[in-house]
Amino acid sequence: MTKIRPETDVSPQEAVFQTRIDAEEKIEPKDWMPDKYRKNLIRQISQHAHSEVIGMQPEGNWITRAPTLHRKCVLLAKVQDEGGHGLYLYSAAETLGASREEMVEALHAGRAKYASIFNYPSLTWADMGAIGWLVDGAAIVNQVSLQRTSYGPYARGMVRICKEESFHQRQGYHIMMTLAQGSAEQKAMAQDSLNRFWWPSLMMFGPHDSESAHSAQSMKWKIKRQSNDELRQKFVDQTVKQAEVIGLTIPDADLSWNEERGHYDFGEIDWEEFHRVINGDGLCNRQRLAHHVKAHEEGAWVRDAITAYEAKKRQRDAQAAA
Amino acid sequence: MSAHMKLFEVFIRSRRGLDHKHVGSLHAEDPAQALEYARDVYTRRSEGVSIWVVNSSAIVSSQETDCESFYDPLDDKPYRHATHYQLPDEVNNM
């Protein structure tokens, strides 16, 4: 009897792994997995975590200047959620053997990236609306898709995050709606914010499928479930009407309904800007990173105090026992 | 009767992709034995694909009697819920 040989030279372990993925089963932390799958996931999950944490900065910028106490409480709660989302994601990456220190160090050294949208400044109160509505809206489209990612801890983290994100998008839209129904100046402020955040929001989905560096392998391993262009289209389709309802105009002269495709056609993204911001030359890249480094360094005394307290407690317990 | 063996809590993942859930506890001499006992007691009908056993003494828990002081600050923040924001019907599925 002859054994059927696999077409390629994959190891038996890898064949089992891929069969599992093809059958829509999740991969769990203690399963065997290809080294590249592990590395690819650590890269993606840690960058996702960094995005949540760096994303606290443009919104944190407005907590002290929120127009009412209620809006301030909401914004505070939202920023607190983002910190929590960072924790869920770092923890998921840690199940793959990456340490928190390594991940933070990679961010500080510039080896790990985060969503380029957070390198744009939040100039007006309306930006709190646009960020919730558009940036969280785009993130949700991506994260809903990732609930079906092949790595169990990442998929479960996404379920938890998506549940919480819905409030983020709705509060942002509510801010935009309120401004759009306000004075001419307030409406203009909302429109200006939409103008500034629309294109960077579309860039959040990454390069075109034909240009995407990590896409093909990630799709085969089902780390990614839908392509960048598919997700971007989904976001555009659902957002156009939301803008119409509150009387704001999406800043794209090429935007039009395509009956045949059943989707909106939209203009080309400024890819030069995309690459410039990704590669460190956006308006706030240096500021965002410098702030994270500063916060991390200034928090060192807290971590030191915890360690010292634990040591003291252990010593006392030992003395009491003696 | 001699002193009881250590107490372990047992968690079972019923299927790939789901979280481990607490199913009960048992006494065993060490973690390896606890794992085997857990298999014998808690998965006789293919209830799971993965078992965790944890020393009960390693679990730190909050008490229901502490609820008031522990959770109270969270109860007056309805704005954390998506339903708190009233939006026009056309976009309310957001």
Side-chain angles (χ1 to χ4, degrees), chain A residues 20 26 28 31 80 156 170, chain B residues 16-17 80 82 85 92:
Chain A
R20 198 163 261 164
K26 299 293 179 214
E28 296 294 348
D31 292 340
Q80 191 183 20
R156 292 190 287 275
R170 289 173 71 93
Chain B
R16 272 173 181 280
R80 285 182 193 272
Y85 304 88
N92 202 27

Side-chain angles (χ1 to χ4, degrees), chain A residues 184-204:
Chain A
E185 269 174 299
Q186 287 170 326
K187 186 170 183 181
M189 190 198 274
Q191 182 63 52
D192 167 67
S193 184
L194 170 57
N195 293 350
R196 282 181 290 110
F197 276 94
W198 176 252
W199 292 103
S201 299
L202 295 192
M203 292 177 201
M204 285 175 69

Side-chain angles (χ1 to χ4, degrees), chain A residues 242-288:
Chain A
Q242 294 165 357
E244 273 169 18
V245 165
I246 53 175
L248 296 179
T249 310
I250 287 176
D252 180 356
D254 296 323
L255 186 74
S256 66
W257 177 250
N258 185 325
E259 190 69 56
E260 203 178 313
R261 291 202 307 127
H263 292 290
Y264 282 95
D265 290 335
F266 53 98
E268 194 52 71
I269 287 167
D270 180 351
W271 294 110
E272 205 184 302
E273 176 181 328
F274 172 83
H275 289 294
R276 201 169 57 237
V277 179
I278 277 273
N279 290 322
D281 243 346
L283 286 164
C284 300
N285 295 56
R286 291 168 192 79
Q287 184 188 335
R288 298 292 185 238

Side-chain angles (χ1 to χ4, degrees), chain A residues 117-247:
Chain A
I117 188 87
F118 300 121
N119 291 315
Y120 291 82
S122 52
L123 302 175
T124 68
W125 171 250
D127 290 358
M128 297 305 96
I131 288 175
W133 173 33
L134 301 173
V135 177
D136 288 82
I140 290 170
V141 168
N142 188 36
Q143 290 171 165
V144 164
S145 179
L146 284 173
Q147 290 180 17
R148 294 169 50 237
T149 191
S150 60
Y151 187 56
Y154 193 22
R156 292 190 287 275
M158 283 299 110
V159 172
R160 225 159 278 141
I161 287 177
C162 283
K163 247 188 187 162
E164 300 182 0
E165 287 277 4
S166 172
F167 131 57
H168 296 181
Q169 192 188 18
R170 289 173 71 93
Q171 67 83 34
Y173 188 78
H174 196 270
I175 290 173
M176 289 302 254
M177 185 173 76
T178 308
L179 288 171
Q181 290 166 349
S183 67
E185 269 174 299
Q186 287 170 326
K187 186 170 183 181
M189 190 198 274
Q191 182 63 52
D192 167 67
S193 184
L194 170 57
N195 293 350
R196 282 181 290 110
F197 276 94
W198 176 252
W199 292 103
S201 299
L202 295 192
M203 292 177 201
M204 285 175 69
F205 296 97
H208 281 311
D209 299 345
S210 51
E211 311 282 324
S212 181
H214 304 287
S215 275
Q217 185 62 66
S218 286
M219 295 285 272
K220 186 176 176 235
W221 279 334
K222 296 188 181 173
I223 293 174
K224 279 173 77 159
R225 301 309 309 259
Q226 286 169 292
S227 76
N228 296 353
D229 286 327
E230 279 176 291
L231 293 167
R232 185 164 21 236
Q233 182 72 60
K234 201 171 164 205
F235 173 69
V236 171
D237 288 348
Q238 74 183 34
T239 310
V240 172
K241 187 172 177 200
Q242 294 165 357
E244 273 169 18
V245 165
I246 53 175

